[in-house]
Amino acid sequence: MNTFGETIRQLRLSRSISQEELAEGLFDRSTLSKIESDKVYPSRENANEMISRLSLGLNEFEYVQRNYLPTKKSKILYELLNLQTSTETDKIKKIIADCSATNDNDLKRISLVLTALLLLNKKDGLEPAKKLVQPIWNDYLSKIKILTITDICLLNMIAYAFDYETDKQIISKILYTINNYYPFLKSLKCSVLINLSNLHIDEENYQKAKDTLTQADKLAQEVGQYDKSLLCRSEIALCDQNYKQSLYYADLLDKIGATTVAQPLKDEITNKQLHN
């Protein structure tokens, strides 16, 4: 990891900005020279202003300072966002291992949520899994005014642990936060809408489920996530009891390599056929 001064100098030169230009109104050129040599350190306000003049945000600056390597937490969140189902056991165990030996509360919560996911794959694992993750909402996130991206991701993964009314509160809070603070999170919003459609299906409100899945399908296509798009279309057909059409989309999921999504969906279709 480079020092603050080294990174400032590297970025300044890469943008063909002189020391006089960068230092203007903050301090003289000789002071900037000392900062770049790590002989003196600027105040927080001046440091932030220099970073801004280099056309970077603080997170971007820190990324460059780490030689363009993501933080451990960023890597874990990326892996978490790309989990498809609870059956991806090896991936889940790896993320749990990466979260170990840390004082970061977000990483501790991620580890809890993923440990609960593994319990879901075991017989009689549902109730222990619920007990493990319910405090994340009840004792903490329900009291937070603005959720972080990590918070949203975790809440979307633990919707199974709550009753219908609580789930509606959780999803409403997630969608409000995304719409108002993170509108670029289209993929995550798509996943949340799919979860919301499952709530409508559980309540046998199939029209609401179809409307929600149609919104999710549109988002999935916008971000090029065709596995989610096919899932939405299969579920819409399932709401209409069009099992042939639903299976058609499930087979397409298999063909594009999304087996971990396709197989549970096929099991769901078979189960619905047997009970109707």
Side-chain angles (χ1 to χ4, degrees):
M1 183 172 178
N2 294 325
T3 65
F4 176 84
E6 288 171 339
T7 309
I8 287 290
R9 184 174 187 278
Q10 172 192 343
L11 289 166
R12 179 180 63 76
L13 292 174
S14 71
R15 284 158 171 72
S16 299
I17 298 174
S18 69
Q19 287 184 326
E20 289 81 0
E21 288 174 306
L22 187 58
E24 185 179 0
L26 300 177
F27 28 68
D28 57 31
R29 187 200 66 77
S30 62
T31 299
L32 177 57
S33 181
K34 290 176 182 177
I35 290 171
E36 291 184 347
S37 302
D38 295 306
K39 294 177 181 176
V40 298
Y41 298 93
S43 67
R44 180 183 294 273
E45 292 78 10
N46 284 344
N48 288 340
E49 179 59 26
M50 282 193 290
I51 292 169
S52 178
R53 291 182 183 186
L54 292 166
S55 302
L56 291 172
L58 183 58
N59 288 339
E60 292 172 303
F61 180 84
E62 290 174 351
Y63 179 59
V64 175
Q65 193 175 8
R66 292 191 304 272
N67 293 312
Y68 301 93
L69 295 173
T71 62
K72 176 182 177 180
K73 187 172 180 177
S74 296
K75 288 173 67 177
I76 288 171
L77 182 57
Y78 176 80
E79 291 168 357
L80 188 69
L81 287 167
N82 283 278
L83 277 179
Q84 291 185 315
T85 71
S86 62
T87 59
E88 296 178 290
T89 306
D90 290 341
K91 288 184 181 179
I92 292 171
K93 288 181 177 178
K94 179 184 180 301
I95 299 174
I96 291 172
D98 290 341
C99 290
S100 63
T102 179
N103 291 319
D104 187 295
N105 288 327
D106 280 341
L107 296 186
K108 289 178 180 178
R109 284 188 283 271
I110 288 172
S111 182
L112 275 178
V113 169
L114 294 182
T115 300
L117 273 187
L118 294 178
L119 286 173
L120 291 178
N121 295 325
K122 298 180 179 180
K123 185 180 179 181
D124 302 322
L126 178 59
E127 289 308 314
K130 285 182 177 181
K131 289 180 181 178
L132 199 59
V133 299
Q134 283 173 345
I136 293 174
W137 169 256
N138 294 333
D139 299 342
Y140 176 58
L141 292 179
S142 64
K143 301 173 176 65
I144 298 296
K145 186 175 181 181
I146 301 175
L147 302 172
T148 67
I149 295 174
T150 304
D151 297 336
I152 292 169
C153 186
L154 292 181
L155 282 176
N156 194 47
M157 295 178 74
I158 63 175
Y160 66 86
F162 301 94
D163 58 53
Y164 179 72
E165 291 303 320
T166 304
D167 269 338
K168 283 202 300 183
Q169 291 177 31
I170 291 172
I171 291 177
S172 176
K173 186 168 186 173
I174 290 174
L175 291 176
Y176 172 84
T177 304
I178 291 176
N179 291 336
N180 287 278
Y181 300 100
Y182 309 110
F184 54 89
L185 293 179
K186 292 184 177 181
S187 175
L188 187 51
K189 183 177 179 179
C190 176
S191 297
V192 173
L193 288 173
I194 291 171
N195 266 352
L196 179 58
S197 73
N198 290 330
L199 290 183
H200 294 321
I201 290 170
D202 289 343
E203 290 293 300
E204 298 185 356
N205 193 334
Y206 296 111
Q207 188 54 54
K208 270 194 174 181
K210 287 163 59 178
D211 291 344
T212 304
L213 285 164
T214 299
Q215 291 180 56
D217 183 19
K218 182 180 178 182
L219 284 172
Q221 291 183 64
E222 285 180 14
V223 297
Q225 290 193 311
Y226 299 109
D227 53 343
K228 288 183 180 177
S229 175
L230 290 170
L231 172 62
C232 290
R233 295 181 185 198
S234 182
E235 291 285 6
I236 289 170
L238 201 52
C239 287
D240 289 329
Q241 296 186 355
N242 187 339
Y243 304 118
K244 182 178 179 181
Q245 186 76 0
S246 185
L247 188 58
Y248 168 76
Y249 288 122
D251 285 338
L252 284 180
L253 277 167
D254 248 339
K255 288 178 181 177
I256 66 171
T259 309
T260 55
V261 178
Q263 192 53 56
L265 182 57
K266 289 181 179 182
D267 293 341
E268 182 185 2
I269 296 167
T270 301
N271 185 55
K272 289 283 179 71
Q273 283 180 303
L274 291 174
H275 292 86
N276 286 296

